[in-house]
């Protein structure tokens, strides 16, 4: 009975919601990831539906902003996910639902939770950077600034993990991601990012 009630109020998203809620990250990030998964994060297309009159352009490029575009399709964020791919050998995530459904198939359950913590930091860093540009009128961010913002949060959230091995794993992952991103940018620079467009 309880399961059926939860299914009704969660529209069948119980497993994914439980997955997000079990991550060792701050509560506001869990809520952000749930909103992101449900498609209600206030990207510019969602703001326009609420009679917002601002520009619909993405903060990082000239295309219209949506959840799909901002977190996965924009050439700017493709660089971030490409750095994750080269660092750890994962496929590129193509959507929010793919991150929680098919992205980590075959990966150990404990390891997949740590990887989802890392993916959450990438999404959070993208979101904070976008908000800084749009609402605080900050200058545009570079790829490296967003990567280092993500790894800053990941190091901080590593302390929330129950096991010291998990904490160390996330800290090592931060160093690996930073190193890979710097190498990609140094070796390929704008040529690499232009190929992503």
């Amino acid at each position: 009975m309880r399961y059926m009630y939860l299914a009704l109020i969660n529209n069948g998203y119980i497993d994914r919601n439980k997955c997000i809620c079990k991550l060792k990250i701050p509560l506001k990030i869990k809520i952000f990831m749930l909103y992101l998964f449900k498609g209600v994060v206030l990207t510019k297309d969602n703001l326009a539906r609420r009679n917002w009159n601002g520009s619909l352009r993405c903060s990082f490029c000239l295309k219209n902003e949506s959840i799909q575009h901002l977190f996965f399709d924009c050439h700017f964020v493709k660089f971030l996910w490409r750095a994750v791919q080269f660092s750890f050998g994962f496929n590129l995530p193509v959507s929010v639902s793919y991150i929680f459904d098919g992205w980590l198939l075959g990966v150990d359950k404990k390891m997949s939770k740590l990887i989802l913590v890392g993916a959450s930091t990438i999404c959070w860093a993208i979101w904070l950077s976008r908000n800084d540009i749009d609402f605080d009128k900050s200058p545009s961010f570079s790829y490296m600034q967003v990567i280092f913002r993500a790894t800053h949060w990941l190091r901080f959230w590593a302390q929330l993990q129950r096991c010291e091995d998990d904490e160390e794993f996330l800290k090592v992952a931060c160093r690996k991601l930073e190193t890979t991103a710097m190498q990609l940018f140094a070796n390929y620079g704008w040529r690499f990012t232009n190929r992503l467009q």
Side-chain angles (χ1 to χ4, degrees):
M1 186 69 157
R2 181 173 179 259
Y3 182 82
M4 188 170 144
Y5 174 74
L6 288 172
L8 289 173
I9 63 170
N10 289 307
N11 296 327
Y13 296 127
I14 291 176
D15 292 337
R16 289 176 221 119
N17 290 353
K18 279 185 180 179
C19 176
I20 294 169
C21 290
K22 288 183 179 182
L23 296 178
K24 300 297 179 202
I25 55 179
L27 179 60
K28 74 177 181 178
I29 311 305
K30 290 179 186 182
I31 292 168
F32 169 75
M33 292 305 291
L34 285 169
Y35 282 178
L36 187 61
F37 180 74
K38 291 184 180 201
V40 296
V41 171
L42 291 178
T43 50
K44 292 178 182 176
D45 63 330
N46 284 338
L47 286 169
R49 288 186 202 115
R50 297 172 183 223
N51 298 322
W52 180 68
N53 294 324
S55 170
L56 295 178
R57 303 282 177 182
C58 173
S59 304
F60 304 116
C61 71
L62 298 175
K63 296 185 178 171
N64 285 347
E65 183 183 281
S66 65
I67 289 174
Q68 180 64 33
H69 174 78
L70 180 63
F71 292 97
F72 301 99
D73 294 342
C74 178
H75 73 86
F76 186 89
V77 299
K78 280 187 178 180
F79 177 86
L80 306 177
W81 291 117
R82 205 52 94 169
V84 170
Q85 180 186 31
F86 285 127
S87 297
F88 308 107
F90 301 128
N91 293 327
L92 289 176
V94 293
S95 68
V96 178
S97 60
Y98 181 64
I99 285 179
F100 293 101
D101 285 337
W103 190 42
L104 301 174
L105 285 177
V107 177
D108 175 67
K109 189 175 182 178
K110 180 181 175 183
M111 186 63 64
S112 65
K113 283 184 182 179
L114 294 174
I115 295 166
L116 289 175
V117 169
S120 298
T121 60
I122 298 280
C123 292
W124 185 241
I126 293 166
W127 184 247
L128 290 180
S129 300
R130 174 263 194 195
N131 288 343
D132 286 348
I133 293 167
D134 284 349
F135 302 113
D136 295 338
K137 305 302 178 202
S138 296
S140 294
F141 285 84
S142 72
Y143 304 101
M144 297 308 300
Q145 286 174 303
V146 179
I147 290 276
F148 278 96
R149 187 176 231 181
T151 55
H152 163 76
W153 286 111
L154 188 54
R155 282 186 177 92
F156 185 67
W157 298 348
Q159 299 171 30
L160 300 174
Q161 307 311 307
R162 288 188 177 149
C163 174
E164 281 186 34
D165 290 342
D166 294 348
E167 180 179 349
E168 187 58 31
F169 173 82
L170 290 176
K171 289 179 179 178
V172 169
C174 288
R175 289 191 295 273
K176 189 171 185 178
L177 179 58
E178 290 165 349
T179 303
T180 302
M182 287 188 291
Q183 288 172 342
L184 284 173
F185 199 73
N187 292 339
Y188 300 103
W190 296 110
R191 289 175 292 147
F192 178 79
T193 56
N194 286 338
R195 275 189 272 149
L196 298 175
Q197 295 181 9

